[in-house]
Amino acid sequence: MNRMKETAGSCAPEIERPTLEADIACVGFGPAMGGFLTTLNRAWMANPADPMFESKVAAGLPLQVLCYERADDIAAGVSGVVTAAQGIRGSFPDLNLADISMAAPVTSERILYLLDPIGASRRPLTLRIADRVLRALNGTLGVRDHAYELPWSPRFLHKTGGLVMSIGQFNQWVGTQIMASGLVQIWPGMPVSQPLFAQNFERTGDQVVGIRLTDQGVEKNGEPGAAYVAGIDVRARLTVIGDGPFGSVGRAIDQRMGMPSGHDKREWALGMKFVIELPEETALKAGTVWHTFGYPEPAIFGFLYVHPERLASVGIFVPSWLGDPSRTVYRYLQHYIQHPALWRHLRDGKLRSWGAKSLDESGQHGEPFLVGDGYARIGEGSGSTNMLAGSGVDEAWTTGVQLAEAVLELLRNQRSFTQENLAAIYEARRRASWVEQNARNAINARNGFHLGFVPGIIGMAIAGMTGGTISLGANIPPAHKQIKKKQGKSKDDLTRAEVAKLVVDDGRPLHDAMMSARGWPEIVFDGKLLVSQQDALMLGGKVQAMPGFADHLVFRDAGLCIQCDEKTCIAMCSGQALTSGSGDIPVFEREKCVHCGACIWNCTQITGEGLTNIEFRAGVGGLHSAEN
């Protein structure tokens, strides 16, 4: 019999905790976990008397399957997406889109290059020349509203036969069906703090034997309060990890197990969007899809997806390789929607809600170990995203389906969830699938952006047209080294005193003041579509910050914050939850935190242990909007 010693995934002092036994414990409920649980649940419903579904921890009962989600609702996913839906339609061949709010088939796609109508963006010489040519040949090339529609779109971007939808609404629809059967329990508002390990002395590596839920009834600093309740230890035969790129369980396993040779998560982007109610006389039809690039900065890509009932998701992606430490995403988004090509459709619309989340854009470069003894990884945190097509939802769903099929095969053959067994079935399925092929084609597609915007566009085109056979090579530095530090005063830079004066004069955020001083026009609020960032926090949803949990964002070393000049964590904060404090140490207000995770990869200060100075722990809350 194997000798084991159970340990938690952190150095927290051990106390006696309640325990719960499960067959399968799942972390995070997104598209990947939806695919996993849907497939598992359907197989059980087709033959509930099959002995393979009998629980090993509760005799006489079916499998005990528990899923824990940090957000306060399973519909709190923040994303409006367009997806080819290959995997999703495979799971739902008779899908009726009328059953899913905000879902529609793709009816048209356009790619627009946006010129700068106000002259504020920082464009390289090659783009400035290209812009002059386009403007000079306006009548010949059909430039309209400072936008040029590409006459041809590459095949890898096509979403023909795909869907426009809201991830929040899709998750809710999927989750409702799963829970209706009774096999699976999904618990929102229950963050998981860490995995549980058992050192197996007769095997190499560590075995995951379950998860630990976050302590409750504590002060913001984590100290136990009068109503303290220790987080439950959920011991499970298999732990399924689908908690995204910043999930506490996935990160703890990466720290414990390391990453495969040559793999690292170095490329990120913050996606931010508005859900806009279009004017009554809009010409935009449901299923309309626009992809844009060139404005408000060349490195910022944008999108417009039209849902049924005159709703549109409009947003931008600000990547880690933008370089400028003043990454003012909300202000950039407001300028983006006012670009003439979009504004003529959006003007007189109404802001219904907004949202933001970080995207792991490393693709297969950031793929961790997919399996180990007692655990498997699925979804975005497992490196499944296709960065050539900018597609992740369908890929995530499919990885969940693949794992469920593997689990069913192991159950049927009465085999345990060891690393060897999971690799031989789940990992093998994934390697032989279209998810793997597309990810390999895209693995180096974005390398060129680390050489400049124009090389980046050329590199993507070459990789796309050659199926990834040919791509540009580039050294990809860690995310914090992609930020270009300020080097003295120039016509485009400001001294601390000049920026501080703008902040003090009208109380605006630091990064907003920097944009104004750099020549970006002020946003004229109309109280309807153009509103302040703080007002947006109150529209169409809410930010959850329930008491009884510790703050999930902690600065490891205050001294590093003091010596930091960039304060990119403040500039990139989606909800202005990080602001300038006394002594140059940022102040965190979790009541405004939407859990986008951008502060982690925007922290320029690295500790002696090689970690960013911002620690992002498990915690409840974040943005909850029914339309995101």
Side-chain angles (χ1 to χ4, degrees), residues 38 252 266 473:
T38 293
R266 294 190 168 193

Side-chain angles (χ1 to χ4, degrees), residues 164-338:
V164 171
M165 61 183 182
S166 155
I167 288 300
Q169 293 296 324
F170 179 68
N171 283 351
Q172 187 173 56
W173 178 75
V174 169
T176 299
Q177 294 185 84
I178 292 170
M179 290 187 289
S181 74
L183 177 70
V184 178
Q185 297 181 47
I186 303 176
W187 294 92
M190 296 288 286
V192 178
S193 66
Q194 60 200 53
L196 297 174
F197 295 96
Q199 179 67 47
N200 188 329
F201 297 107
E202 296 181 11
R203 301 171 60 85
T204 57
D206 293 313
Q207 181 178 357
V208 173
V209 295
I211 55 177
R212 175 170 294 170
L213 303 185
T214 303
D215 293 346
Q216 300 186 37
V218 299
E219 305 297 335
K220 286 190 174 185
N221 62 3
E223 292 295 321
Y228 175 72
V229 177
I232 298 173
D233 281 352
V234 182
R235 297 194 176 96
R237 297 162 57 204
L238 174 66
T239 299
V240 180
I241 304 163
D243 56 356
F246 293 115
S248 56
V249 176
R251 285 188 288 116
I253 287 179
D254 288 344
Q255 291 173 11
R256 179 101 167 204
M257 309 296 190
M259 294 280 282
S261 177
H263 288 213
D264 199 359
K265 298 180 187 292
R266 294 190 168 193
E267 295 182 280
W268 303 92
L270 179 66
M272 184 178 288
K273 69 158 192 177
F274 290 149
V275 175
I276 298 174
E277 181 181 323
L278 299 171
E280 290 187 10
E281 303 302 320
T282 182
L284 297 177
K285 305 298 182 183
T288 298
V289 174
W290 292 3
H291 308 282
T292 73
F293 66 104
Y295 182 84
E297 300 286 4
I300 296 177
F301 291 81
F303 63 87
L304 181 149
Y305 312 141
V306 183
H307 307 279
E309 299 182 7
R310 291 191 292 110
L311 293 179
S313 292
V314 187
I316 57 176
F317 299 100
V318 177
S320 55
W321 36 265
L322 176 65
D324 188 347
S326 180
R327 299 170 174 179
T328 53
V329 186
Y330 187 82
R331 176 84 174 267
Y332 272 136
L333 179 53
Q334 289 187 312
H335 284 295
Y336 175 71
I337 67 171
Q338 291 184 85

Side-chain angles (χ1 to χ4, degrees), residues 114-115 117 145-147 295 335-344:
L114 304 181
L115 287 76
D145 294 326
H146 300 273
Y295 182 84
H335 284 295
Y336 175 71
I337 67 171
Q338 291 184 85
H339 188 282
L342 284 80
W343 192 239
R344 68 190 187 94

Side-chain angles (χ1 to χ4, degrees), residues 36 44 78 98 140 153 236-237 312 333 369 458 549 559 611-613 621:
F36 174 76
W44 175 76
V78 180
T140 304
S153 60
R237 297 162 57 204
L333 179 53
F369 290 111
I458 294 172
F549 290 89
L611 304 172
T612 61
N613 197 40

